[in-house]
Amino acid sequence: MQDTLTKKLFDVDNIRKDFPILGTFSNGKPLVYFDNAATSQKPVSVINAIGDYYRNYNANIHRGVYSISIKASDAYESSKRKVSEFINAKSDREIIYTRGATESINLIAYSFGADNVNEGDEIIISEMEHHANIVPWQELCKRKNAVLKVIPVTDTGELELDEYIKLLSDKTKIVSVGHISNTLGTINPVKDIISIAKAKNTNICCIVDGAQAVHHTKVDVRNIGADFYVFSSHKMYGPMGTGVLYGRAELLEAMPPYQTGGDMIENVSFSQTTFNEIPMKFEAGTPNVEGAVGLNAAIDYINSVGFDAIYVQESELLQYATEKLMEINGLRVIGTSQNKASVISFVVKGLNAFDIGVLLDGSGVAVRTGQHCTEPLMDKLCIPGTVRVSFAFYNTIEEIDIFIDALKKAIGVLQ
Amino acid sequence: MQDTLTKKLFDVDNIRKDFPILGTFSNGKPLVYFDNAATSQKPVSVINAIGDYYRNYNANIHRGVYSISIKASDAYESSKRKVSEFINAKSDREIIYTRGATESINLIAYSFGADNVNEGDEIIISEMEHHANIVPWQELCKRKNAVLKVIPVTDTGELELDEYIKLLSDKTKIVSVGHISNTLGTINPVKDIISIAKAKNTNICCIVDGAQAVHHTKVDVRNIGADFYVFSSHKMYGPMGTGVLYGRAELLEAMPPYQTGGDMIENVSFSQTTFNEIPMKFEAGTPNVEGAVGLNAAIDYINSVGFDAIYVQESELLQYATEKLMEINGLRVIGTSQNKASVISFVVKGLNAFDIGVLLDGSGVAVRTGQHCTEPLMDKLCIPGTVRVSFAFYNTIEEIDIFIDALKKAIGVLQ
Amino acid sequence: MDKTINEIENEIIDEFNFFESWQDKYEYIIELGKKLTNFPDECRNNEYKVKGCQSSVWIVTNEQSNKIIFKADSDSTLVKGLIALLLRVLNNRGADEIINAKLDFLDITGLKQHLAQTRANGLAAMINKIKMYAIAYKTKHESVN
Amino acid sequence: MDKTINEIENEIIDEFNFFESWQDKYEYIIELGKKLTNFPDECRNNEYKVKGCQSSVWIVTNEQSNKIIFKADSDSTLVKGLIALLLRVLNNRGADEIINAKLDFLDITGLKQHLAQTRANGLAAMINKIKMYAIAYKTKHESVN
Ligand SMILES: Cc1ncc(COP(=O)(O)O)c(C=O)c1O
Ligand SMILES: Cc1ncc(COP(=O)(O)O)c(C=O)c1O
């Protein structure tokens, strides 16, 4: 009974009709898209929102006195409000649009780092971070002579919290961790991680890289207690080219600007330039209204599906695929945390991940192979790379069957 | 005869059909879009290219082993080649995609500035620059204790080249000027400006802000002699969210990275991180493939219309509108250089630009009012702001007539 | 003046309903703007200026028997017209009345959508300033009691 | 071996035309890859490595009576298959022949599109390296004469 109810919550065949690309063919076979952690596909409502914008009210915003500019400004502002509600920020002044999660982290490292990190200070990240949450901190440490500390990862792909606690010190200024690992699927206990840091010292700045989280689970930045939270539109069914930086207003207000130019200034003269209020202070140049409109439509779409249904569907896919994969001889799943999102990395004994990926493509199955921008994690686990499959709610059990068949064939050919 | 031939080169009615928004209504009147210098409208080929991308081959690029990822990578690369040819760069390795002209200038100021500008060094810009080509240099000067020098502007809105020559010194490290003024329409002699600087010292880095130029006139970066040339897709009929930074390979190769993260690295480890080759070194994070695809389509569109036809049509609009405006009592055109693009700023005695803009909107005419992100120029000219009309090749003489009528009515009501 | 804020807002809404086109509404606002001439010249300076991107707004205040009195000006005739409407509603009232005013007429008449919402005109900043004055006045007044 | 580069390229093109599906072509490449076993173990190190993002390629070279001889290896069987094809065309030839080889067969067979163009596999870097060897060899050889 419960089950039928849940099923009714969510009709995957109908959902799939919303995503035009899922009906296409690849190498003569129906496309099976299992690279959702790299970028998601877009529902027709997002594609149409972009088209509608360019067909009907494309204009530069904020300073326009004419109707389509006012309409475009409204659309931009309401997109901000939508994002703000989506992650339960206190105010849309706390939402900054960037180019992507990578730029969001660069902005924090540069601008928050400028005044708050000094020689000898410590920044804590983890071994499973995406390069985007490693290299900006390495660069900041270089500029400031600060020290990067790294939380180790267990064999099952979880953070060693005991070690984390030991790393915290009076010199810790920043803790920046991923919410969900793009390689392992591990869901990190970010709320605990932050409360541990804040218990040590409320001034420790806590940053969460949510690039792999916002589309899988309901995120509440205030409940988590994050000072900053970043993510990318393109991984959550929205357009490419837009990212989000959430930051507590208090912190953002105190930070110096990052990029400078139009829209982020209040007054410019050759003797003195003053900057605009947040969030505009951090948005230099013509804002990407298209991206804002598309992201708004993407959030509407996610909300219309609902996180309950998303969770049920994605858990089922994760469980089924894991079981099927485990049955294959010589295959090892990398990342076996109890608490996982629908991302599975694996290696097959004696075989190269790239070769497997290419052969799967021959069967229409799109997967990612390699290091997934987490080279230090690969080094730690002593593997050159993995095959990674990552599911969205629009994927199906039937697709997993196609994938498993194709994988078995590929292994047969390669061995 | 010649005239009929020219007319045949270009059928504006047909052209207008390519731009869906030009057929819409604003406040019950046909939209007359004269704010092209702020952002251009998009032809259906660009809108469809974006839709086609998301419907058929949306994927993360560079590391993908599957077909749609390879197709998306190809599309991204061929967009780079298209841009490279469009501005006659030597190689597509010299083309970096950014978020917009503003980010391109910030990247240069940060990354080129890091090693090449030191205490006491001088940077030359001009009084007519857009804030995007002022504030990043002010910030660099602040970081480095360098000195900003400013080429003055004449009453007609031209650069005082004599003064420029006097500003050049042994300490000059950078000259950065706009190709076409977004407020005055002045076409600056950038080739001369650069050769004067290079004659003084070939190591002076010469940057051209081409945000207002690439869609009006054929740009040849090598002929101009620019070390860097920047522009924005959204002002040249392409999508928002993408900009271009052209830089000579030699310079780019020597520069440190700007933002860091995925795609721009070669190897990451906690002990040492090495960076990728150009252009990837400067493209951190998931590239905006949509933007690249859209920009490619925009350049195809511009090429299909042709710069000859664009020039003829835009010159005619400029001339006709200037004449009609001059007939209006108390109206003064700001920026009367001989060499002008289709941008006209004006003030009306005793009246406020904002009021005029709002009333024009009531007649369906979209214009920009204010300082146009060129506050120092306004200060120099002692005006609080202007009304600006800026034409694209899809605008018509009939639209100018509608505008002039509406303007006369607005003046009548306000006086 | 015994009318409540609500009553005056309703008057304004009725007036705006009377006009058919926005062209006419604008002309009415412009007329109001042209008639707003009581701002003291010596106050048209930075001290009394409210930030607005495209048009400047100046505002001065004083008190008279528990009421707050505002005078304001702008370099934009349209904004002056809006000021005239706003002061017709808020001028010469007690601090609490001002603080609690919702100013729904700006929405209902469509003024907000057409004019008041653009960041450009400084009207939002002016409303803010008026409310801040009222709050400051109230604080002072209460601490005196 | 007297066949020209062109003749061998045409042979390969014919072979690939023979297969109907890419599945079959891949299997053929994989077979070739599995058979490529003559790489000296001690050279599978960083010195001889060619940069490739996902798969590593190693290459060693030596000279024999005016011809250049290559041996190469990869951790990817597919890339090894490509190496086998490439060496079938380029191995044991004079420097000029190598330098001037257009390698059109990679395009005509579709190998480039399906495999060789992805930055991931290091094949482009390998071709580069082979040509660089040939150029270096030629320079050395000419300066001797
Ligand atoms: C965990 C994580 N963080 C950050 C990023 C960077 O996101 P983007 O490339 O969109 O900037 C990604 C995706 O690539 C990711 O998976
Ligand atoms: C001359 C000039 N430079 C730079 C810019 C900045 O371009 P963007 O806002 O697209 O970054 C503009 C447009 O706003 C401009 O007109």
Side-chain angles (χ1 to χ4, degrees):
Chain A
M1 181 61 203
Q2 187 60 48
D3 243 308
T4 355
L5 225 95
T6 326
K7 284 279 187 303
K8 271 197 185 142
L9 248 174
F10 186 79
D11 176 349
V12 74
D13 292 333
N14 260 329
I15 290 280
R16 287 177 71 81
K17 288 189 199 130
D18 294 334
F19 292 81
I21 205 171
L22 299 181
T24 64
F25 287 75
S26 172
N27 291 319
K29 316 266 162 52
L31 172 68
V32 173
Y33 187 74
F34 281 176
D35 194 17
N36 293 287
T39 198
S40 66
Q41 298 304 337
K42 318 303 171 200
V44 83
S45 61
V46 168
I47 302 171
N48 287 349
I50 295 171
D52 179 50
Y53 170 69
Y54 284 132
R55 285 168 183 277
N56 292 300
Y57 61 104
N58 168 59
N60 209 321
I61 60 172
H62 288 336
R63 280 129 206 258
V65 294
Y66 51 88
S67 307
I68 54 172
S69 174
I70 293 171
K71 188 167 175 198
S73 301
D74 281 347
Y76 191 77
E77 302 301 329
S78 63
S79 167
K80 286 274 182 89
R81 280 194 300 278
K82 182 72 53 65
V83 169
S84 168
E85 283 159 24
F86 184 63
I87 59 170
N88 195 30
K90 208 164 165 185
S91 149
D92 50 1
R93 294 170 61 240
E94 301 181 314
I95 306 300
I96 291 158
Y97 282 161
T98 63
R99 192 171 14 151
T102 301
E103 178 171 55
S104 298
I105 297 175
N106 275 273
L107 194 163
I108 305 168
Y110 183 85
S111 180
F112 181 83
D115 295 333
N116 296 288
V117 175
N118 294 302
E119 184 159 353
D121 284 345
E122 295 171 357
I123 296 168
I124 298 178
I125 60 173
S126 95
E127 227 167 32
M128 67 167 83
E129 298 311 315
H130 187 278
H131 293 165
N133 196 26
I134 299 175
V135 193
W137 304 117
Q138 289 183 320
E139 293 288 302
L140 175 61
C141 286
K142 251 197 271 173
R143 285 198 300 275
K144 298 284 191 163
N145 263 318
V147 182
L148 196 64
K149 301 269 172 177
V150 184
I151 311 170
V153 170
T154 66
D155 289 344
T156 57
E158 287 162 295
L159 295 179
E160 296 203 28
L161 290 187
D162 294 350
E163 294 300 317
Y164 163 57
I165 292 168
K166 285 186 216 155
L167 290 178
L168 283 163
S169 86
D170 291 345
K171 292 183 178 163
T172 307
K173 288 295 160 68
I174 289 171
V175 173
S176 186
V177 291
H179 197 158
I180 294 181
S181 160
N182 66 309
T183 301
L184 306 171
T186 314
I187 303 175
N188 288 319
V190 284
K191 189 176 173 175
D192 295 343
I193 290 170
I194 291 172
S195 65
I196 291 168
K198 296 285 183 185
K200 174 89 189 167
N201 177 351
T202 48
N203 287 329
I204 294 176
C205 171
C206 294
I207 302 161
V208 179
D209 171 2
Q212 295 292 341
V214 276
H215 47 303
H216 287 309
T217 178
K218 181 73 197 162
V219 166
D220 180 331
V221 291
R222 282 190 282 171
N223 178 268
I224 291 170
D227 294 309
F228 295 99
Y229 195 98
V230 309
F231 51 100
S232 291
S233 156
H234 73 93
K235 293 189 198 275
M236 55 186 288
Y237 316 109
M240 289 179 148
T242 293
V244 175
L245 164 60
Y246 157 80
R248 284 202 298 113
E250 206 185 310
L251 297 174
L252 292 175
E253 273 160 359
M255 282 155 57
Y258 176 54
Q259 297 184 343
T260 53
D263 268 11
M264 58 71 67
I265 55 91
E266 187 182 272
N267 286 113
V268 175
S269 77
F270 291 123
S271 55
Q272 204 198 345
T273 290
T274 52
F275 300 113
N276 209 328
E277 293 170 5
I278 64 164
M280 285 86 78
K281 180 169 78 176
F282 293 105
E283 295 185 355
T286 301
N288 183 350
V289 186
E290 180 220 294
V293 165
L295 176 55
N296 196 335
I299 294 177
D300 281 342
Y301 190 84
I302 291 174
N303 287 338
S304 78
V305 177
F307 276 111
D308 290 342
I310 290 173
Y311 177 79
V312 168
Q313 176 74 359
E314 292 183 349
S315 305
E316 194 176 322
L317 295 170
L318 173 66
Q319 195 187 331
Y320 184 78
T322 306
E323 279 165 16
K324 290 286 162 186
L325 283 170
M326 299 285 223
E327 289 169 8
I328 294 176
N329 232 320
L331 185 147
R332 184 158 63 95
V333 170
I334 307 295
T336 50
S337 163
Q338 283 302 307
N339 212 358
K340 262 187 78 162
S342 50
V343 173
I344 312 176
S345 260
F346 63 87
V347 294
V348 181
K349 204 170 168 180
L351 299 190
N352 176 283
F354 172 76
D355 289 347
I356 294 174
V358 171
L359 292 189
L360 288 175
D361 177 49
S363 305
V365 182
V367 304
R368 184 127 308 216
T369 64
Q371 308 177 323
H372 320 297
C373 290
T374 55
E375 195 174 342
L377 178 64
M378 296 291 119
D379 290 348
K380 157 70 172 248
L381 300 172
C382 296
I383 44 179
T386 73
V387 179
R388 182 187 73 186
V389 291
S390 51
F391 311 121
F393 55 77
Y394 47 59
N395 289 126
T396 65
I397 296 292
E398 293 71 38
E399 288 181 309
I400 292 176
D401 288 336
I402 293 171
F403 155 65
I404 294 287
D405 274 356
L407 177 62
K408 285 178 177 162
K409 247 172 60 191
I411 292 172
V413 172
L414 286 166
Q415 259 167 356
Chain B
M1 181 62 201
Q2 186 60 46
D3 243 308
T4 355
L5 227 97
T6 326
K7 284 279 185 308
K8 269 196 185 143
L9 246 174
F10 187 80
D11 177 348
V12 73
D13 292 334
N14 259 331
I15 291 278
R16 287 177 71 81
K17 288 189 198 128
D18 294 335
F19 293 80
I21 205 171
L22 299 181
T24 64
F25 287 76
S26 172
N27 291 319
K29 314 268 163 49
L31 172 68
V32 173
Y33 186 73
F34 280 177
D35 195 16
N36 293 287
T39 199
S40 66
Q41 297 305 337
K42 319 303 171 200
V44 82
S45 61
V46 168
I47 303 172
N48 287 349
I50 296 171
D52 179 52
Y53 169 70
Y54 284 133
R55 285 168 182 277
N56 292 301
Y57 61 104
N58 167 59
N60 209 321
I61 60 171
H62 289 335
R63 279 129 206 257
V65 294
Y66 51 88
S67 308
I68 55 171
S69 174
I70 293 172
K71 186 166 175 199
S73 301
D74 282 347
Y76 191 77
E77 302 301 331
S78 64
S79 167
K80 286 274 183 90
R81 280 195 298 278
K82 182 70 55 67
V83 169
S84 168
E85 284 159 24
F86 184 62
I87 59 169
N88 195 29
K90 206 162 166 186
S91 149
D92 50 0
R93 294 170 61 242
E94 302 182 313
I95 307 299
I96 292 158
Y97 282 161
T98 63
R99 194 171 11 148
T102 301
E103 179 171 54
S104 298
I105 298 174
N106 275 271
L107 193 163
I108 306 168
Y110 182 85
S111 180
F112 181 83
D115 296 333
N116 296 289
V117 175
N118 294 302
E119 186 161 349
D121 285 346
E122 294 171 355
I123 296 168
I124 298 179
I125 61 172
S126 95
E127 228 167 31
M128 67 167 85
E129 297 313 314
H130 187 278
H131 292 165
N133 197 26
I134 299 174
V135 193
W137 304 118
Q138 289 183 320
E139 294 287 303
L140 175 62
C141 286
K142 252 197 270 174
R143 286 198 300 275
K144 298 284 192 163
N145 264 316
V147 182
L148 195 64
K149 300 270 172 177
V150 185
I151 311 171
V153 171
T154 65
D155 289 344
T156 57
E158 288 163 294
L159 294 180
E160 296 202 29
L161 291 187
D162 295 350
E163 295 300 317
Y164 163 58
I165 292 168
K166 286 186 215 153
L167 290 178
L168 284 164
S169 86
D170 292 345
K171 292 181 175 164
T172 307
K173 288 295 160 68
I174 289 172
V175 173
S176 185
V177 290
H179 197 159
I180 294 181
S181 160
N182 65 310
T183 302
L184 306 171
T186 314
I187 302 174
N188 288 319
V190 286
K191 188 175 174 178
D192 294 343
I193 290 171
I194 292 172
S195 65
I196 291 168
K198 296 284 183 187
K200 174 89 190 166
N201 177 350
T202 48
N203 286 330
I204 294 177
C205 170
C206 294
I207 302 161
V208 179
D209 171 2
Q212 295 293 341
V214 276
H215 47 303
H216 287 309
T217 178
K218 181 73 197 162
V219 167
D220 180 331
V221 291
R222 282 190 281 171
N223 177 267
I224 289 170
D227 293 309
F228 295 99
Y229 194 98
V230 309
F231 51 100
S232 290
S233 156
H234 73 93
K235 293 188 198 275
M236 55 186 286
Y237 316 109
M240 289 179 148
T242 293
V244 175
L245 165 59
Y246 156 80
R248 284 202 297 114
E250 205 186 312
L251 297 174
L252 292 175
E253 273 160 358
M255 281 155 56
Y258 177 55
Q259 298 185 344
T260 53
D263 268 10
M264 57 69 68
I265 55 91
E266 186 181 273
N267 286 113
V268 175
S269 77
F270 291 122
S271 55
Q272 203 198 345
T273 290
T274 51
F275 300 112
N276 209 328
E277 292 171 4
I278 65 163
M280 286 86 80
K281 180 169 79 174
F282 293 104
E283 295 186 355
T286 301
N288 182 350
V289 187
E290 180 220 295
V293 166
L295 176 56
N296 196 334
I299 293 177
D300 282 341
Y301 189 84
I302 291 174
N303 287 338
S304 79
V305 177
F307 276 111
D308 290 342
I310 290 173
Y311 178 78
V312 169
Q313 176 73 0
E314 292 184 349
S315 305
E316 194 176 323
L317 295 170
L318 173 65
Q319 195 187 331
Y320 183 77
T322 306
E323 279 166 15
K324 288 287 163 187
L325 283 169
M326 299 285 224
E327 289 169 8
I328 295 176
N329 230 322
L331 186 147
R332 184 158 63 96
V333 169
I334 307 295
T336 51
S337 163
Q338 285 301 308
N339 213 358
K340 263 187 78 163
S342 50
V343 173
I344 312 176
S345 261
F346 64 87
V347 294
V348 181
K349 203 169 169 182
L351 300 189
N352 175 283
F354 171 77
D355 289 347
I356 294 174
V358 172
L359 292 188
L360 287 175
D361 177 50
S363 304
V365 182
V367 304
R368 183 126 310 215
T369 63
Q371 308 177 322
H372 320 296
C373 290
T374 55
E375 196 175 339
L377 178 64
M378 295 291 120
D379 291 348
K380 157 72 172 247
L381 300 173
C382 297
I383 44 179
T386 72
V387 180
R388 182 187 71 186
V389 290
S390 50
F391 311 120
F393 55 76
Y394 48 59
N395 290 126
T396 65
I397 297 292
E398 293 72 38
E399 288 182 309
I400 292 176
D401 288 336
I402 293 172
F403 155 64
I404 295 287
D405 273 356
L407 177 61
K408 286 179 179 164
K409 245 170 65 188
I411 293 173
V413 171
L414 286 166
Q415 261 167 354
Chain C
M1 188 199 285
D2 289 309
K3 287 178 192 159
T4 65
I5 284 188
N6 255 348
E7 283 166 354
I8 298 188
E9 288 198 32
N10 283 334
E11 269 179 30
I12 295 175
I13 291 165
D14 286 345
E15 283 168 22
F16 273 82
N17 275 339
F18 173 81
F19 297 113
E20 282 192 1
S21 72
W22 265 94
Q23 215 77 350
D24 293 340
K25 293 177 196 187
Y26 281 153
E27 290 187 19
Y28 176 57
I29 299 169
I30 289 165
E31 283 321 305
L32 294 176
K34 287 181 181 170
K35 282 189 214 137
L36 188 79
T37 53
N38 65 346
F39 194 80
D41 265 350
E42 67 279 8
C43 295
R44 209 175 278 103
N45 61 32
N46 262 338
E47 188 182 343
Y48 299 103
K49 196 165 163 176
V50 173
K51 272 182 226 161
C53 174
Q54 290 207 15
S55 53
S56 304
V57 172
W58 297 271
I59 184 164
V60 292
T61 176
N62 60 54
E63 299 149 24
Q64 204 175 294
S65 52
N66 280 344
K67 309 282 182 193
I68 309 180
I69 295 163
F70 300 98
K71 286 181 181 163
D73 196 9
S74 170
D75 53 359
S76 151
T77 312
L78 279 164
V79 174
K80 273 169 81 169
L82 288 173
I83 290 172
L85 288 169
L86 206 62
L87 294 193
R88 188 167 140 201
V89 175
L90 294 179
N91 219 356
N92 206 13
R93 301 206 172 262
D96 277 328
E97 267 185 304
I98 295 171
I99 293 166
N100 296 324
K102 294 241 176 51
L103 303 177
D104 288 333
F105 80 101
L106 289 172
D107 266 320
I108 297 170
T109 53
L111 279 168
K112 197 164 208 157
Q113 197 208 330
H114 276 79
L115 272 170
Q117 71 80 248
T118 78
R119 296 231 183 112
N121 65 28
L123 194 88
M126 188 178 99
I127 294 174
N128 231 347
K129 197 111 181 189
I130 289 179
K131 295 220 167 195
M132 296 307 281
Y133 270 127
I135 291 168
Y137 176 86
K138 194 182 163 191
T139 318
K140 195 177 74 181
H141 189 256
E142 277 168 0
S143 63
V144 167
N145 279 12
Chain D
M1 186 199 287
D2 289 312
K3 287 179 194 158
T4 65
I5 285 189
N6 254 348
E7 282 166 355
I8 299 188
E9 288 199 33
N10 283 333
E11 269 179 31
I12 295 175
I13 291 165
D14 286 344
E15 283 167 24
F16 273 81
N17 274 338
F18 172 81
F19 298 112
E20 281 193 2
S21 73
W22 265 96
Q23 216 75 353
D24 292 340
K25 294 177 195 186
Y26 282 152
E27 290 187 20
Y28 176 58
I29 299 168
I30 289 165
E31 283 321 304
L32 294 176
K34 287 180 179 170
K35 282 188 215 138
L36 187 79
T37 52
N38 65 347
F39 193 80
D41 265 349
E42 67 278 11
C43 295
R44 209 175 277 102
N45 60 32
N46 262 337
E47 188 182 344
Y48 299 102
K49 196 165 162 175
V50 174
K51 270 183 229 162
C53 174
Q54 290 207 17
S55 53
S56 302
V57 172
W58 296 269
I59 183 164
V60 292
T61 177
N62 60 55
E63 300 149 24
Q64 203 173 295
S65 51
N66 279 344
K67 307 281 182 196
I68 310 181
I69 294 163
F70 299 98
K71 286 181 182 166
D73 195 11
S74 170
D75 53 357
S76 151
T77 312
L78 278 165
V79 174
K80 273 170 82 169
L82 288 174
I83 290 172
L85 288 170
L86 205 61
L87 294 193
R88 189 166 138 201
V89 174
L90 293 180
N91 220 354
N92 206 13
R93 301 206 171 262
D96 276 329
E97 266 185 303
I98 294 171
I99 292 166
N100 296 326
K102 294 243 173 54
L103 304 178
D104 288 333
F105 80 102
L106 289 171
D107 265 320
I108 296 170
T109 53
L111 279 168
K112 196 162 210 162
Q113 196 208 332
H114 276 79
L115 272 169
Q117 72 79 248
T118 80
R119 295 233 183 109
N121 64 28
L123 195 88
M126 188 177 99
I127 293 175
N128 230 348
K129 198 115 181 184
I130 289 179
K131 296 221 165 192
M132 295 309 280
Y133 270 126
I135 290 168
Y137 175 86
K138 195 181 163 191
T139 316
K140 195 177 72 181
H141 189 257
E142 278 171 358
S143 63
V144 167
N145 280 13

